[in-house]
Amino acid sequence: MAADRDDNARGAGRRRRSLQRAPRRSSPRSPRPRQDRRPVVTRTALTAWLARPLADFHLILAVCGTLGALGVVMVLSASSVSSYDTDSSVYALFQKHLVFVAVGLVAFWLGVRIPLPRIRALSPAAMVVCLGLLVLVLTPLGTSFYGSQGWIVVGPLSLQPVEIAKVALALWGAHVLVAKYEVLHQWRHLLVPVVPAALLMFALVMAQPDLGGTITLAVVLLALLWFAGAPKLLFSLIVAGAAAGAVVLAFVATYREERIVAFLDPEADPLGSGWQSSQALYALADGGLFGKGLGQGQSKWMYLPNVQHDFIFALIGEELGLVGCLVVLGLFGLLAFVGLRIAMRNLDPWIRIVAGTLTTWVVAQAAINIGYVVGLLPVTGLTLPMISYGGTSLVVTMLLFGLLANCARHEPEAVAALRTQGPGKFGRLMRLPAPEPYRPPARRRGGNRMGAGRAGRPARRDGRNGRTVTGERRRTAPEYGRRATSRATAKRATVTRRGRR
């Protein structure tokens, strides 16, 4: 026994020495270093937050509030000099802007409060009213500002019908395209009556004349056709026709020709047609990285005319620098991401087309405004959404944010959460009703009118016989958003599963 214990002790000593001499191998399950885990943890937290049911709704509120607050501050800085020259008070235009913001808040609340089915039902009437206003503004009742007869002024109130017409075209166009979903593969049903109505609007707006309003209407029309699934050949034809029309319009009017010349060579007439473009570039260059500080910009001292309207982005670059410009670009980029995400996550094809169209409109208008301020596009006179001096454009833009927030509350996960967990803090504050779950239309003989594809386009059909190939089969039950099975049934199923183990 003593000999056996000695042999075991010698063997254990040899194994211990061999382990000490052997090189240590890193375990494949060793934890990662701390610096490698941080990005993973950040991505995981961000992904988890974006997966929350009301994440898009809260992001829309955050983007709208941040852009609105930035606009209030910049309008106060930009309009102080011109307000003092006209009304002997540096707060004259700023006070009017605050009134427009208050009206816009009411419009935002209406956009998020009114049920979307009711908005869709009222869209044809809104289209007829907007066409009537576009005709009325061309009569002696219309008022001209900055060379365009595009306003209806009644006492202290003014209205620009083209801004409301953009919303009406987006809502009504989506309604018509969804109603004709089964026959959209035929060009005559795809184009009629949306394209003729849009062309009529183009003609009425160009009669004012208002090239900037026509461009944004064209953006709305293109977005409608894109999210409805129009073929790419149609867009090629539209772009070719738009380019030819732009060349003709540029040389028909003298002021448009001067804008084109100033865009191609701003130094050709620096004291005339190229004055605004040159001064905007000087203001951006003077701002540098961090800017001169709020209220310290020199371009508003009549060096840059109407700086609170079309060229407020130049003042942002001068007073807040490159950092401020990047913040503005980041906010509109975030709006594009959230708006398209809302369009993808909804099941109702009308909501998909509306969310995608409204997002494209706002982001495209911001891109055009920033593009001609930095010298990449000719000057068109479009305002920077939510930041430029208020009016009908500000009120309508806040209405669009309300509609996008309403669309975000109709996502399937949001519907389920709001109907089971309550309206939440913002819902109680704004007295928002619980959204109804999406119920696909009843099947018709010879076709299946299920929801659209994931990107807002109609689902692909095999041989155009109405049979859906990639339909939205999940979450399309009529009672989605409510408890689909009773507790007793779930309990029996649980007992059955336990018995089979």
Side-chain angles (χ1 to χ4, degrees), residues 67-88:
L67 287 174
L70 180 61
V72 168
V73 173
M74 295 312 302
V75 167
L76 174 60
S77 176
S79 63
S80 57
V81 177
S82 58
S83 296
Y84 186 79
D85 288 342
T86 56
D87 298 328
S88 300

Side-chain angles (χ1 to χ4, degrees), residues 104-147:
L105 289 175
V106 176
F108 177 89
W109 180 76
L110 291 176
V112 73
R113 176 70 173 77
I114 301 177
L116 290 180
R118 184 175 301 178
I119 294 176
R120 179 179 178 180
L122 293 176
S123 60
M127 187 70 177
V128 174
V129 171
C130 289
L131 287 174
L133 290 175
L134 289 177
V135 174
L136 188 64
V137 78
L138 298 176
T139 65
L141 296 177
T143 305
S144 296
F145 290 105
Y146 307 109

Side-chain angles (χ1 to χ4, degrees), residues 383-468:
T383 59
L384 186 60
M386 294 294 298
I387 298 180
S388 295
Y389 175 73
T392 309
S393 176
L394 176 63
V395 175
V396 170
T397 305
M398 296 188 73
L399 173 64
L400 296 187
F401 274 95
L403 292 174
L404 285 176
N406 202 344
C407 294
R409 296 180 76 248
H410 281 76
E411 295 177 3
E413 291 83 359
V415 172
L418 291 172
R419 295 182 70 87
T420 56
Q421 303 175 11
K425 296 180 180 179
F426 290 102
R428 295 190 191 96
L429 180 64
M430 294 185 285
R431 297 181 179 274
L432 302 180
E436 293 293 332
Y438 172 64
R439 293 178 173 84
R443 291 192 178 188
R444 293 185 178 182
R445 183 176 301 176
N448 180 10
R449 298 189 55 168
M450 295 288 288
R454 288 194 61 83
R457 300 186 178 191
R460 181 172 59 89
R461 283 158 289 189
D462 187 13
R464 297 295 181 182
N465 60 354
R467 184 168 59 87
T468 303

Side-chain angles (χ1 to χ4, degrees), residues 18-40:
S18 63
L19 289 175
Q20 290 176 356
R21 289 193 300 268
R24 294 184 178 180
R25 297 181 180 179
S26 59
S27 174
R29 296 183 180 180
S30 60
R32 296 181 180 179
R34 185 179 300 273
Q35 60 272 18
D36 294 342
R37 288 203 303 266
R38 287 177 182 174
V40 177

Side-chain angles (χ1 to χ4, degrees), residues 248-263:
V248 173
L249 292 175
F251 293 99
V252 167
T254 305
Y255 73 95
R256 297 196 194 104
E257 184 178 356
E258 292 176 353
R259 287 181 178 180
I260 297 297
V261 173
F263 165 68

Side-chain angles (χ1 to χ4, degrees), residues 265-282:
D265 188 8
E267 299 298 330
D269 189 10
L271 299 179
S273 59
W275 174 260
Q276 279 187 309
S277 301
S278 301
Q279 293 299 320
L281 294 178
Y282 294 152

